[in-house]
Amino acid sequence: MGQAPWTTEIDEWYRSQIIYSGSSFTVRTKGGRSMVNDPMLSVTWYGAVAYCNWRSQQLGKQPCYDSATLEPIYPLPNGVRLATEAEWEYAARGGLNGKRFPWGDTITHSHANYYSYWSGGHYSYDVSPTNGCHPTWNDGVYPYTSPAGSFPANGYGLYDMAGNVWEWCNDWYGSYSSGSQTNPTGPTDGWSRVLRGGYWSTLAYYCRVAYRYYIRPGNRDYTIGFRVALDL
Ligand SMILES: [Ca+2]
Ligand SMILES: [Ca+2]
């Protein structure tokens, strides 16, 4: 039996931007552009936290995840880890209070890498005159990610908190408690881990700083990446 016809397509779907030659790893080039400054993607939650532990080791910090199970260690040690969901949203807001996005209440393609609806579309706060995926980063070859720093930073100096790729958070996904909490670390157990921020082909609604998404931690997709946090 020959190679399944969908093998190439699946490979495309799961592309991480990293190529293994059998002896070494390199960052791939897409359409003549090196992806070295684009977000890494197609990584499971476990892959992301394994990276965090490796990075902690490089920096002489404590690992934040159990080396056998890769579950978070609580209280969270002072090492490299994924942001808690609360930390992520705090960081995304960039010091603004009650705004829909990291910069304000409306969104255009000058702010972020996302899918803009046609005017008169679903969301009145999506005011981009351009439509569909971002015209600069839509090169016809998935994924349409953009290099870090392609859009203005938010008030905390952070890039791409809205759009580009979904970002794994540390927490299990679950309902918020009714009472207020200080520095919550999420439910103690669950099925899915939190994703935040939307990606290059999500609508404005999903790029809002309050929008919560989730997926099984063993899943990977070329829309999902991660960003790390470190207590100083
Ligand atoms: Ca539009
Ligand atoms: Ca993002």
Side-chain angles (χ1 to χ4, degrees), residues 116-119 126 128-131:
S116 177
Y117 217 80
W118 279 257
S119 55
D126 178 3
S128 192
T130 42
N131 302 323

Side-chain angles (χ1 to χ4, degrees), residues 100-102 107 114 162-163 197-199 202-209:
R100 195 174 276 122
F101 299 107
I107 184 170
Y114 75 108
Y199 76 99
T202 45
L203 297 171
Y205 180 83
Y206 305 97
C207 295
R208 293 176 301 115
V209 287

Side-chain angles (χ1 to χ4, degrees), residues 69-123:
T69 65
L70 289 177
E71 296 300 319
I73 296 163
Y74 294 106
L76 291 165
N78 186 10
V80 176
R81 58 179 173 79
L82 300 176
T84 67
E85 185 177 16
E87 288 170 337
W88 193 95
E89 186 168 327
Y90 185 93
R93 291 185 181 279
L96 294 179
N97 196 5
K99 296 296 182 185
R100 195 174 276 122
F101 299 107
W103 51 82
D105 280 329
T106 59
I107 184 170
T108 74
H109 275 149
S110 67
H111 294 114
N113 189 359
Y114 75 108
Y115 189 103
S116 177
Y117 217 80
W118 279 257
S119 55
H122 291 45
Y123 309 114

Side-chain angles (χ1 to χ4, degrees), residues 7-208:
T7 301
T8 304
E9 189 180 340
I10 294 292
D11 181 57
E12 192 66 33
W13 270 83
Y14 285 87
R15 227 180 250 287
S16 67
Q17 314 298 7
I18 296 171
I19 296 166
Y20 184 57
S21 68
S23 59
S24 65
F25 294 95
T26 50
V27 176
R28 78 166 176 146
T29 294
K30 179 170 78 107
R33 180 169 76 82
S34 169
M35 302 298 273
V36 72
N37 290 322
D38 283 52
M40 192 267 183
L41 36 70
S42 288
V43 60
T44 66
W45 185 91
Y46 299 107
V49 304
Y51 170 84
C52 290
N53 270 4
W54 174 84
R55 190 66 185 137
S56 288
Q57 191 178 39
Q58 299 294 303
L59 297 172
K61 303 277 185 183
Q62 274 187 280
C64 294
Y65 303 90
D66 183 277
S67 59
T69 65
L70 289 177
E71 296 300 319
I73 296 163
Y74 294 106
L76 291 165
N78 186 10
V80 176
R81 58 179 173 79
L82 300 176
T84 67
E85 185 177 16
E87 288 170 337
W88 193 95
E89 186 168 327
Y90 185 93
R93 291 185 181 279
L96 294 179
N97 196 5
K99 296 296 182 185
R100 195 174 276 122
F101 299 107
W103 51 82
D105 280 329
T106 59
I107 184 170
T108 74
H109 275 149
S110 67
H111 294 114
N113 189 359
Y114 75 108
Y115 189 103
S116 177
Y117 217 80
W118 279 257
S119 55
H122 291 45
Y123 309 114
S124 59
Y125 48 83
D126 178 3
V127 295
S128 192
T130 42
N131 302 323
C133 289
H134 197 289
T136 303
W137 306 109
N138 175 357
D139 60 2
V141 183
Y142 285 166
Y144 303 159
T145 56
S146 43
S150 297
F151 300 92
N154 75 1
Y156 291 156
L158 300 169
Y159 296 96
D160 292 318
M161 297 305 289
N164 211 9
V165 294
W166 288 115
E167 298 171 25
W168 286 116
C169 289
N170 205 58
D171 304 17
W172 288 115
Y173 177 79
S175 300
Y176 286 154
S177 67
S178 55
S180 69
Q181 295 185 50
T182 302
N183 296 330
T185 52
T188 53
D189 204 354
W191 290 101
S192 300
R193 295 283 184 178
V194 172
L195 289 168
R196 288 298 206 113
Y199 76 99
W200 49 268
S201 189
T202 45
L203 297 171
Y205 180 83
Y206 305 97
C207 295
R208 293 176 301 115

